Amino acid sequence: MGHLLGGFTLFNLLVWQWLKTSRLQPSMSVSVARPLFLLSLFVIVILTGQIALGGWVSSNYAALACVDFPKCQQSWWPPMDFKNAFIMWRGLGVDYEFGVLDHPARVAIHYVHRVGALVTAIAILFYASRLCKFSDARQLLKKNAFIITLLLFVQIGLGISNIVFKLPLPVAVMHNAVALLLLASLVTSAYMLKYARSN
Ligand code: HEM
């Protein structure tokens, strides 16, 4: 999970560097751009949490702990062990191949990633709607809001496909890649809001 977050951070730092050489500076009054920028940071934190949870699902072999959707094991609240699901450090010398957790702990991880997707979707849709409301029709930010919304729905579709089709490798890889693109799109919007030219 740490490796995943490190890679995503590095990629997005490179995106930020690239944006500095671009001319993506929409015109917008500071009084509008500033609160939107703060909102973008909040949504980036939520998405990063969801990405970390996704990494936790895959590194704990919890992808198929629930094999049905939207319920998990035909239940809205299956037996889950939250106490053991999120232990971050178990000392040295543990063999993590195929995971060390019992089934209820894996279900808890999987379930939290699903609930996290719901929270993330609400936050992103709210943010995208604000971007649309406060930028005019041809503006870069409006296009960005459209891309963010599209990527969100693709990402949720890929997540559900992971479960329904029993984790085909191309779908799992795409789910990873689209998470990266989603984060990069949010970072791009944050950049544009931070450096918007006041009109
Ligand atoms: C905004 C929404 C979502 C984001 C950003 C997200 C992100 C991620 C990420 C980054 C991973 C780790 C991939 C890896 O390490 O290879 C992951 C794994 C996973 N996600 Fe999501 N996810 C989202 C929604 C969903 C939804 C809605 C579902 C299913 C209902 C889902 C099911 C899964 C599963 C089963 C895995 C494990 C895949 C594996 O083991 O390779 N995700 N997710």
Side-chain angles (χ1 to χ4, degrees), residues 17-52:
Q17 283 303 115
W18 172 76
L19 286 167
K20 282 192 160 181
T21 66
S22 73
R23 294 206 186 123
L24 290 177
Q25 285 180 291
S27 57
M28 189 180 245
S29 74
V30 178
S31 61
V32 173
R34 189 70 196 160
L36 278 176
F37 172 65
L38 294 178
L39 181 62
S40 75
L41 295 186
F42 177 67
V43 179
I44 285 172
V45 169
I46 291 183
L47 178 61
T48 305
Q50 172 66 358
I51 289 168

Short mmCIF file of all heavy atoms in Angstrom, two decimals, residues 17-52:
data_model
loop_
_atom_site.label_atom_id
_atom_site.label_comp_id
_atom_site.label_asym_id
_atom_site.label_seq_id
_atom_site.Cartn_x
_atom_site.Cartn_y
_atom_site.Cartn_z
N GLN A 17 4.59 19.62 -11.75
CA GLN A 17 5.73 20.26 -12.42
C GLN A 17 5.39 20.58 -13.87
O GLN A 17 5.71 21.65 -14.39
CB GLN A 17 6.96 19.33 -12.39
CG GLN A 17 7.67 19.29 -11.07
CD GLN A 17 8.12 20.67 -10.63
OE1 GLN A 17 7.64 21.18 -9.63
NE2 GLN A 17 8.99 21.32 -11.37
N TRP A 18 4.74 19.62 -14.54
CA TRP A 18 4.36 19.82 -15.94
C TRP A 18 3.37 20.98 -16.06
O TRP A 18 3.47 21.81 -16.96
CB TRP A 18 3.76 18.53 -16.51
CG TRP A 18 3.20 18.73 -17.86
CD1 TRP A 18 3.89 18.85 -19.03
CD2 TRP A 18 1.81 18.88 -18.21
NE1 TRP A 18 3.03 19.06 -20.07
CE2 TRP A 18 1.74 19.08 -19.60
CE3 TRP A 18 0.62 18.86 -17.48
CZ2 TRP A 18 0.54 19.27 -20.27
CZ3 TRP A 18 -0.58 19.04 -18.14
CH2 TRP A 18 -0.61 19.25 -19.52
N LEU A 19 2.41 21.04 -15.11
CA LEU A 19 1.42 22.11 -15.15
C LEU A 19 2.08 23.49 -15.04
O LEU A 19 1.63 24.46 -15.64
CB LEU A 19 0.40 21.93 -14.02
CG LEU A 19 -0.61 20.80 -14.22
CD1 LEU A 19 -1.35 20.50 -12.93
CD2 LEU A 19 -1.61 21.16 -15.32
N LYS A 20 3.20 23.53 -14.31
CA LYS A 20 3.90 24.81 -14.15
C LYS A 20 4.46 25.32 -15.47
O LYS A 20 4.68 26.51 -15.64
CB LYS A 20 5.03 24.67 -13.12
CG LYS A 20 4.53 24.67 -11.71
CD LYS A 20 5.67 24.82 -10.74
CE LYS A 20 5.15 25.31 -9.41
NZ LYS A 20 6.20 25.50 -8.42
N THR A 21 4.72 24.40 -16.40
CA THR A 21 5.24 24.82 -17.71
C THR A 21 4.08 25.08 -18.69
O THR A 21 4.31 25.51 -19.80
CB THR A 21 6.15 23.74 -18.33
OG1 THR A 21 5.34 22.59 -18.62
CG2 THR A 21 7.27 23.35 -17.39
N SER A 22 2.84 24.79 -18.25
CA SER A 22 1.70 24.96 -19.15
C SER A 22 1.08 26.35 -18.93
O SER A 22 1.51 27.11 -18.08
CB SER A 22 0.66 23.89 -18.88
OG SER A 22 0.01 24.19 -17.66
N ARG A 23 0.05 26.62 -19.71
CA ARG A 23 -0.63 27.92 -19.50
C ARG A 23 -2.05 27.71 -18.99
O ARG A 23 -2.97 28.43 -19.36
CB ARG A 23 -0.66 28.69 -20.81
CG ARG A 23 0.71 29.07 -21.26
CD ARG A 23 0.67 30.31 -22.13
NE ARG A 23 2.01 30.54 -22.63
CZ ARG A 23 2.32 30.63 -23.89
NH1 ARG A 23 1.38 30.51 -24.81
NH2 ARG A 23 3.56 30.85 -24.26
N LEU A 24 -2.23 26.72 -18.16
CA LEU A 24 -3.57 26.40 -17.65
C LEU A 24 -3.92 27.35 -16.49
O LEU A 24 -3.88 26.97 -15.33
CB LEU A 24 -3.63 24.95 -17.19
CG LEU A 24 -3.56 23.89 -18.29
CD1 LEU A 24 -3.56 22.50 -17.70
CD2 LEU A 24 -4.71 24.04 -19.26
N GLN A 25 -4.23 28.57 -16.86
CA GLN A 25 -4.59 29.55 -15.83
C GLN A 25 -5.90 30.22 -16.19
O GLN A 25 -5.90 31.26 -16.86
CB GLN A 25 -3.49 30.60 -15.70
CG GLN A 25 -2.26 30.10 -14.99
CD GLN A 25 -1.23 31.20 -14.90
OE1 GLN A 25 -0.66 31.61 -15.90
NE2 GLN A 25 -1.02 31.69 -13.70
N PRO A 26 -7.02 29.63 -15.81
CA PRO A 26 -8.31 30.24 -16.16
C PRO A 26 -8.47 31.59 -15.46
O PRO A 26 -7.84 31.82 -14.42
CB PRO A 26 -9.33 29.23 -15.63
CG PRO A 26 -8.63 28.48 -14.59
CD PRO A 26 -7.18 28.47 -14.94
N SER A 27 -9.29 32.44 -16.03
CA SER A 27 -9.55 33.70 -15.33
C SER A 27 -10.77 33.53 -14.43
O SER A 27 -11.81 32.98 -14.85
CB SER A 27 -9.77 34.84 -16.33
OG SER A 27 -10.81 34.51 -17.17
N MET A 28 -10.62 33.96 -13.19
CA MET A 28 -11.66 33.76 -12.18
C MET A 28 -11.35 34.66 -11.00
O MET A 28 -10.16 34.84 -10.66
CB MET A 28 -11.60 32.29 -11.73
CG MET A 28 -12.71 31.83 -10.86
SD MET A 28 -12.44 30.10 -10.45
CE MET A 28 -13.80 29.34 -11.24
N SER A 29 -12.35 35.22 -10.36
CA SER A 29 -12.05 36.11 -9.23
C SER A 29 -11.51 35.29 -8.06
O SER A 29 -11.92 34.13 -7.86
CB SER A 29 -13.28 36.90 -8.83
OG SER A 29 -14.15 36.05 -8.15
N VAL A 30 -10.62 35.92 -7.30
CA VAL A 30 -9.99 35.21 -6.17
C VAL A 30 -11.03 34.75 -5.16
O VAL A 30 -10.92 33.67 -4.58
CB VAL A 30 -8.95 36.14 -5.49
CG1 VAL A 30 -8.32 35.47 -4.29
CG2 VAL A 30 -7.89 36.56 -6.48
N SER A 31 -12.07 35.57 -4.97
CA SER A 31 -13.08 35.23 -3.96
C SER A 31 -13.85 33.95 -4.34
O SER A 31 -14.39 33.26 -3.48
CB SER A 31 -14.07 36.39 -3.79
OG SER A 31 -14.72 36.62 -5.01
N VAL A 32 -13.84 33.60 -5.64
CA VAL A 32 -14.47 32.34 -6.06
C VAL A 32 -13.44 31.22 -6.06
O VAL A 32 -13.70 30.10 -5.59
CB VAL A 32 -15.08 32.50 -7.49
CG1 VAL A 32 -15.57 31.16 -8.01
CG2 VAL A 32 -16.21 33.50 -7.48
N ALA A 33 -12.24 31.52 -6.57
CA ALA A 33 -11.22 30.48 -6.74
C ALA A 33 -10.73 29.93 -5.39
O ALA A 33 -10.51 28.72 -5.26
CB ALA A 33 -10.05 31.03 -7.55
N ARG A 34 -10.58 30.81 -4.41
CA ARG A 34 -9.98 30.40 -3.12
C ARG A 34 -10.78 29.29 -2.41
O ARG A 34 -10.24 28.24 -2.08
CB ARG A 34 -9.81 31.65 -2.25
CG ARG A 34 -9.02 31.46 -1.00
CD ARG A 34 -7.55 31.23 -1.29
NE ARG A 34 -6.89 30.67 -0.12
CZ ARG A 34 -5.74 30.01 -0.15
NH1 ARG A 34 -5.13 29.84 -1.29
NH2 ARG A 34 -5.21 29.53 0.94
N PRO A 35 -12.09 29.51 -2.15
CA PRO A 35 -12.84 28.43 -1.50
C PRO A 35 -12.90 27.14 -2.32
O PRO A 35 -12.87 26.04 -1.76
CB PRO A 35 -14.25 29.01 -1.31
CG PRO A 35 -14.27 30.33 -1.95
CD PRO A 35 -12.90 30.73 -2.34
N LEU A 36 -12.95 27.31 -3.67
CA LEU A 36 -12.96 26.11 -4.51
C LEU A 36 -11.63 25.36 -4.40
O LEU A 36 -11.59 24.13 -4.42
CB LEU A 36 -13.22 26.49 -5.97
CG LEU A 36 -14.68 26.71 -6.39
CD1 LEU A 36 -14.75 27.17 -7.83
CD2 LEU A 36 -15.50 25.46 -6.19
N PHE A 37 -10.54 26.11 -4.29
CA PHE A 37 -9.22 25.49 -4.13
C PHE A 37 -9.18 24.69 -2.82
O PHE A 37 -8.73 23.53 -2.80
CB PHE A 37 -8.13 26.56 -4.15
CG PHE A 37 -6.77 26.03 -3.81
CD1 PHE A 37 -6.14 25.10 -4.63
CD2 PHE A 37 -6.12 26.43 -2.64
CE1 PHE A 37 -4.88 24.58 -4.30
CE2 PHE A 37 -4.87 25.91 -2.31
CZ PHE A 37 -4.25 24.99 -3.14
N LEU A 38 -9.70 25.28 -1.74
CA LEU A 38 -9.71 24.57 -0.45
C LEU A 38 -10.58 23.31 -0.54
O LEU A 38 -10.21 22.25 -0.01
CB LEU A 38 -10.21 25.50 0.66
CG LEU A 38 -9.28 26.69 0.96
CD1 LEU A 38 -9.88 27.58 2.03
CD2 LEU A 38 -7.89 26.21 1.39
N LEU A 39 -11.71 23.44 -1.25
CA LEU A 39 -12.57 22.27 -1.44
C LEU A 39 -11.83 21.19 -2.24
O LEU A 39 -11.92 19.99 -1.92
CB LEU A 39 -13.86 22.69 -2.16
CG LEU A 39 -14.88 21.59 -2.42
CD1 LEU A 39 -15.40 20.98 -1.11
CD2 LEU A 39 -16.07 22.11 -3.24
N SER A 40 -11.06 21.61 -3.24
CA SER A 40 -10.32 20.62 -4.06
C SER A 40 -9.33 19.85 -3.18
O SER A 40 -9.18 18.64 -3.32
CB SER A 40 -9.61 21.30 -5.23
OG SER A 40 -8.46 22.00 -4.78
N LEU A 41 -8.68 20.56 -2.24
CA LEU A 41 -7.72 19.87 -1.35
C LEU A 41 -8.44 18.84 -0.47
O LEU A 41 -7.95 17.72 -0.27
CB LEU A 41 -7.00 20.89 -0.46
CG LEU A 41 -6.08 21.89 -1.17
CD1 LEU A 41 -5.33 22.73 -0.14
CD2 LEU A 41 -5.09 21.20 -2.10
N PHE A 42 -9.61 19.23 0.02
CA PHE A 42 -10.40 18.32 0.86
C PHE A 42 -10.78 17.05 0.08
O PHE A 42 -10.64 15.93 0.58
CB PHE A 42 -11.65 19.09 1.34
CG PHE A 42 -12.59 18.26 2.17
CD1 PHE A 42 -12.22 17.81 3.43
CD2 PHE A 42 -13.86 17.95 1.69
CE1 PHE A 42 -13.09 17.05 4.20
CE2 PHE A 42 -14.73 17.17 2.45
CZ PHE A 42 -14.35 16.72 3.70
N VAL A 43 -11.20 17.25 -1.17
CA VAL A 43 -11.62 16.09 -1.98
C VAL A 43 -10.40 15.23 -2.33
O VAL A 43 -10.49 13.99 -2.37
CB VAL A 43 -12.38 16.57 -3.25
CG1 VAL A 43 -12.79 15.39 -4.11
CG2 VAL A 43 -13.63 17.35 -2.85
N ILE A 44 -9.25 15.87 -2.55
CA ILE A 44 -8.02 15.10 -2.83
C ILE A 44 -7.67 14.21 -1.62
O ILE A 44 -7.27 13.06 -1.78
CB ILE A 44 -6.86 16.06 -3.20
CG1 ILE A 44 -7.07 16.59 -4.63
CG2 ILE A 44 -5.51 15.35 -3.10
CD1 ILE A 44 -6.11 17.68 -5.05
N VAL A 45 -7.85 14.75 -0.41
CA VAL A 45 -7.56 13.96 0.80
C VAL A 45 -8.51 12.75 0.86
O VAL A 45 -8.09 11.61 1.12
CB VAL A 45 -7.68 14.83 2.07
CG1 VAL A 45 -7.65 13.98 3.33
CG2 VAL A 45 -6.57 15.86 2.11
N ILE A 46 -9.79 12.97 0.57
CA ILE A 46 -10.76 11.87 0.61
C ILE A 46 -10.40 10.81 -0.44
O ILE A 46 -10.38 9.60 -0.16
CB ILE A 46 -12.19 12.39 0.37
CG1 ILE A 46 -12.63 13.23 1.57
CG2 ILE A 46 -13.18 11.23 0.15
CD1 ILE A 46 -14.03 13.75 1.50
N LEU A 47 -10.08 11.26 -1.66
CA LEU A 47 -9.73 10.31 -2.72
C LEU A 47 -8.46 9.53 -2.36
O LEU A 47 -8.38 8.32 -2.58
CB LEU A 47 -9.57 11.04 -4.07
CG LEU A 47 -9.15 10.15 -5.24
CD1 LEU A 47 -10.19 9.07 -5.53
CD2 LEU A 47 -8.92 10.98 -6.50
N THR A 48 -7.50 10.23 -1.77
CA THR A 48 -6.26 9.55 -1.38
C THR A 48 -6.55 8.46 -0.34
O THR A 48 -5.98 7.36 -0.39
CB THR A 48 -5.24 10.57 -0.83
OG1 THR A 48 -5.06 11.59 -1.81
CG2 THR A 48 -3.89 9.93 -0.53
N GLY A 49 -7.46 8.76 0.59
CA GLY A 49 -7.87 7.76 1.58
C GLY A 49 -8.48 6.54 0.90
O GLY A 49 -8.18 5.39 1.25
N GLN A 50 -9.31 6.79 -0.11
CA GLN A 50 -9.97 5.69 -0.83
C GLN A 50 -8.93 4.87 -1.61
O GLN A 50 -9.03 3.64 -1.69
CB GLN A 50 -11.05 6.28 -1.76
CG GLN A 50 -11.69 5.29 -2.70
CD GLN A 50 -12.53 4.22 -1.98
OE1 GLN A 50 -12.60 4.18 -0.76
NE2 GLN A 50 -13.12 3.34 -2.75
N ILE A 51 -7.94 5.55 -2.17
CA ILE A 51 -6.87 4.83 -2.91
C ILE A 51 -6.06 3.97 -1.93
O ILE A 51 -5.74 2.81 -2.22
CB ILE A 51 -5.99 5.85 -3.66
CG1 ILE A 51 -6.78 6.44 -4.84
CG2 ILE A 51 -4.69 5.21 -4.15
CD1 ILE A 51 -6.14 7.65 -5.49
N ALA A 52 -5.77 4.54 -0.75
CA ALA A 52 -5.04 3.76 0.27
C ALA A 52 -5.85 2.51 0.65
O ALA A 52 -5.31 1.40 0.78
CB ALA A 52 -4.77 4.62 1.49
#
